[in-house]
Amino acid sequence: MNDKQIDLLNLDTHELTGLVQSWNEPVYRVKQLQQWLYHELVDDFDAMSNLPHPLRARLKAATTIGDLKLIATQDSADALTRKALFQMRDGQTVETVLMRYLDAPGSPEDSTDPPNVARRTVCISTQVGCPVGCPFCETGQAGYIRNLTLGEVVAQVLYFAREQKRAGFEMPLTNIVIMGMGEPFMKFNVTWRAIQAFTDPARLGMGARRVTVSTSGYVDGIRQLIEKKSQVNLAVSLHAADDALRDQLVPVNRKYPLRELMNACREYVHATHRRITFEYALMDNVNDSAQQAEQVAQLLAGVLCHVNLIPLNPTSESPYRRSPYARVLEFQRVLNRHNIPTTLRVEKGIEIMAGCGQLRQQVKRHSANVNALPLAT
Ligand code: SAH
Ligand code: SF4
């Protein structure tokens, strides 16, 4: 890749049409190209057999299919979760996770080919680092570098879609969660364009309800999402039900305090009739008491929602620890007593999933626990 090459994944349909027309090619080439890129999932222009050779040569010279280079991977002990670290054109790195869930209990070794995997969810990043700076989050602690481009966001999905297609799945991915590194609503426009790439039938064509976007509480973005009348799922990282504590744990709370956040959430439910998922990472003696569970119940009373309780995945440099399991269960009982539905994230992949950004830090620290591939030159 060189600086002058255009990343095709960075173009929406309108922009791709502009490129094709500027090359004096018929407009039906747009459909053909999108078919190869997003349905056939090819990453090689030579495979685009219905395009004339001169056009393929021009595409090869002037464009790229994504701009990510794989530099490290890491698998969970049960082999169902896989993290990938990619390097971008400017040398920055970004992390993506594939989480696979079995239909029935059993190890992947016993399973058929393709294995008995019911859900294949890819968790993607939107920024290098994150300016929100939550103190329990590896990404937040690493500092903020930049937003990703549309092409860099879409390429993360296509990488794992290709991998799962090779593994034999007709529908390579079942879900996309925008929950990796970064705050997706800081640059709403890029996130929205990515959601369109995932749901547009001419591109990935996934049902909007299979896509989830998680925000730390960017009220602006929640309102913009309402305006789009989209059916994507919204997750909000709550982690505390009082402003003083949330100012510490999720510093964007200083800009958008709980009252404003909850107003936006209520507007969202009113406008979309969709249930919101509130994420709550349980931290030992910080936000996990029964009294704090009561506060959460009060805050969420009357809001169509569901709470996802996540035992904290402790990061290397933060003082926060995971709550003891008994306290997690007690917290859950309090919410359930108030008729607030909850789930407890206990999947085995948690050790590499929660706190996206950890593989990036490990590679920086040259940890032995990752399959580092040679760095791009
Ligand atoms: N920036 C967005 C989306 C990415 S983070 C957001 O904050 O919502 C995805 C989820 O993982 C968030 O709920 C986040 O608070 C949580 N998280 C971050 N670090 C974690 C950790 N070390 N353990 C458990 N959950 C963590
Ligand atoms: Fe950013 Fe989300 Fe991490 Fe907070 S939890 S620092 S918002 S990525």
Side-chain angles (χ1 to χ4, degrees), residues 217-221 243 246 252-258 260-261:
Y218 254 75
V219 165
D220 247 30
D243 279 319
R246 198 163 187 275
V252 73
N253 196 68
R254 296 172 201 164
K255 183 172 160 83
Y256 298 115
L258 280 165
E260 271 188 56
L261 174 61

Side-chain angles (χ1 to χ4, degrees), residues 136-137 179-180 182-183 214-216 237 239 279 310 312-313 315 354-355:
F136 57 88
C137 167
M179 278 194 188
E183 167 46 55
S214 173
T215 179
S216 57
S237 299
H239 307 320
E279 290 158 285
I310 317 163
L312 185 81
N313 190 26
T315 62

Side-chain angles (χ1 to χ4, degrees), residues 127 129-141 179-184 214-217 237 239 249-252 355-356:
Q127 297 181 316
C130 178
V132 178
C134 304
F136 57 88
C137 167
E138 190 89 62
T139 302
Q141 288 312 289
M179 278 194 188
M181 294 166 61
E183 167 46 55
S214 173
T215 179
S216 57
S237 299
H239 307 320
L249 295 182
V250 191
V252 73
C356 211

Side-chain angles (χ1 to χ4, degrees), residues 12 27 64 122 173 180 184 194 218 291 308 339 374:
D12 62 20
V27 172
T64 62
V122 67
L173 300 172
Y218 254 75
Q291 197 198 343
N308 196 5
N339 295 320

Side-chain angles (χ1 to χ4, degrees), residues 346-367:
V346 286
E347 285 95 1
K348 289 185 199 149
I350 191 91
E351 86 258 22
I352 67 166
M353 163 50 197
C356 211
Q358 294 180 353
L359 177 57
R360 178 165 171 261
Q361 290 306 99
Q362 283 175 37
V363 167
K364 275 192 179 166
R365 295 186 199 113
H366 304 292
S367 158

Side-chain angles (χ1 to χ4, degrees), residues 8 11-21 30 33-34:
L8 291 180
L11 307 181
D12 62 20
T13 303
H14 179 73
E15 292 162 339
L16 185 60
T17 308
L19 179 72
V20 162
Q21 284 178 326
V30 172
L33 264 168
Q34 288 186 324

